[in-house]
Amino acid sequence: MKTRNTTAYFFSNSLSVTALLAFSLASFSCVFISCASFAGSLNPAIDDFSDIKDNSLGIQRQFINDSVAGGSTTTEQLVSEGVIFLKGEITPPRGQPGWASTVLPLDAQSLPRDASAFEGIRLRVKVNTGNISISANSTEVTNFDYHAAPVTVTADGKFHEVKIPFTSMKRAWSEQTQLNTKTINSLSIVAFSLQKSAFNFELDEVSFY
C-alpha cells in the first residue's frame, strides 16, 4: 500500500470550462491518418502518481492553464509519496472562466485507446479549496467540447473515492452525443472558477473501473 501525505453541481459552465481547457492533443495525430484503426485495449490503471513525471502508462503528464487564452492563472504541482498536490490562484481572462488543467494522456502519440470494457472513471481525491471537474477526451470531438462531469466531494481533509460513469458525462454547448469509449486519448482534471479564487486539491489515484 502506498504511503499518503498528509457542493453541488455548478451549472453548465463547469462543463464548458472543462471542454475548453482539455487541449489534450485530441486530433493532432489524426489529421493525416484514420484514428479508428489505431484503437487498442487499455489497462484500467491510469495514474497512481508513483512517478514524478509519468503516469502509470509511462506517458508524461501535461499541465496547462488559461494563460494560453489571456488569463493570469498560476499553478503549482508536486508529486510526493504517491500523491500529486495541485494548487494555485485562478485569475480568469476578461469575460471568460479561468482554469488550470492536468492532462493524463492515454497514448504517447495521442492516438485513441479502447476503454469500452469499463463503466467509467474512478478517482481518489481530496479537495481542500476550489471546484474541479473531469473530461474524457475523444478523438471524435473536434471542437474541444469533450464529455465532462463535475467532481463533487466534501472538503473535510480526507481522500474520497469518486466514480464518474461514462454515461453521466455531457458536452456543454454541442449536440448531446454518446461518448465513444473506443476513441479516448486522454483525461483532463480541471480546477475552474468564474472569478479570481484559489484552488488546492490532491489526487491519489486515477483509473477506469
Side-chain angles (χ1 to χ4, degrees), residues 46-63 79 84 103-105:
I46 304 305
D47 206 333
D48 64 3
F49 304 100
S50 58
D51 187 272
I52 293 177
K53 294 182 179 180
D54 295 343
N55 64 21
S56 297
L57 303 175
I59 308 171
Q60 187 170 339
R61 302 176 197 99
Q62 300 175 22
F63 305 95
V79 177
I84 186 168
V103 182
L104 305 179

Side-chain angles (χ1 to χ4, degrees), residues 92-109:
R94 183 179 177 87
Q96 301 178 43
W99 50 267
S101 178
T102 300
V103 182
L104 305 179
L106 306 185
D107 185 89
Q109 296 181 327

Side-chain angles (χ1 to χ4, degrees), residues 102-176:
T102 300
V103 182
L104 305 179
L106 306 185
D107 185 89
Q109 296 181 327
S110 302
L111 300 176
R113 303 300 304 273
D114 186 352
S116 60
F118 308 110
E119 295 181 22
I121 303 166
R122 173 183 174 272
L123 302 92
R124 277 185 50 82
V125 59
K126 180 195 298 185
V127 178
N128 302 310
T129 307
N131 311 316
I132 64 174
S133 57
I134 186 166
S135 69
N137 309 323
S138 167
T139 56
E140 289 187 343
V141 175
T142 58
N143 66 348
F144 299 107
D145 189 10
Y146 298 115
H147 295 76
V151 178
T152 305
V153 299
T154 303
D156 57 4
K158 300 178 181 179
F159 279 98
H160 295 268
E161 179 180 276
V162 178
K163 290 185 175 180
I164 308 290
F166 289 131
T167 54
S168 72
M169 305 182 84
K170 306 297 182 183
R171 303 178 74 187
W173 64 82
S174 306
E175 178 184 0
Q176 290 303 325

Side-chain angles (χ1 to χ4, degrees), residues 2 20 100 103 130 155 175 198 200:
K2 296 185 299 179
L20 285 169
V103 182
E175 178 184 0
N200 185 318

